[in-house]
Every structure is written in structure tokens, then in C-alpha cells.
Amino acid sequence: MPVGLFRDEEGSVQVNYGTGATIPIPRSRYKANGYKPDFDKLPSEAEYWAAEKKKEDDARS
């Protein structure tokens, strides 16, 4: 099942479809499709990328 990665400033959600590609979709479509996590629990784009960078940095240590 597709998974939401983060929400952007325009109200869209970047969704990972498990195919190696991520696609932005409108909040309304994200909610209508019942994707997880809930929209209100998604990190902002900046929070998402900061966490990804931390994972990479921790993996190198």
C-alpha cells in the first residue's frame, strides 16, 4: 500500500508507491484513499529531510 512521506507547504503529500518513485498528490486525494500515516501525523518536508540526513549520518558512524 502507498505510504505518505511528508506534507509540503502547498498542502500536497509526497507518496511512496513502493515502485522506487514518489509522487505528490493533493491532501484531499490522500485522505480519500485512506493512505497512512494520517495527514496530521505526517512531518513537514523539512522535518522529513532532516530525519533522512540524520539516518544517513548515523549509518556512517
Side-chain angles (χ1 to χ4, degrees):
M1 174 166 211
V3 176
L5 300 176
F6 59 82
R7 54 187 161 76
D8 65 22
E9 293 179 9
E10 290 85 40
S12 294
V13 178
Q14 195 73 23
V15 177
N16 181 341
Y17 287 92
T19 61
T22 63
I23 301 170
I25 63 171
R27 175 183 183 166
S28 58
R29 187 164 148 207
Y30 182 81
K31 286 185 159 192
N33 289 345
Y35 295 157
K36 298 293 180 188
D38 293 335
F39 179 84
D40 296 329
K41 294 183 179 179
L42 287 167
S44 69
E45 185 173 3
E47 292 168 334
Y48 173 82
W49 289 117
E52 288 296 302
K53 183 177 182 328
K54 183 175 180 343
K55 282 188 217 174
E56 287 178 15
D57 291 347
D58 290 349
R60 290 183 202 160
S61 299

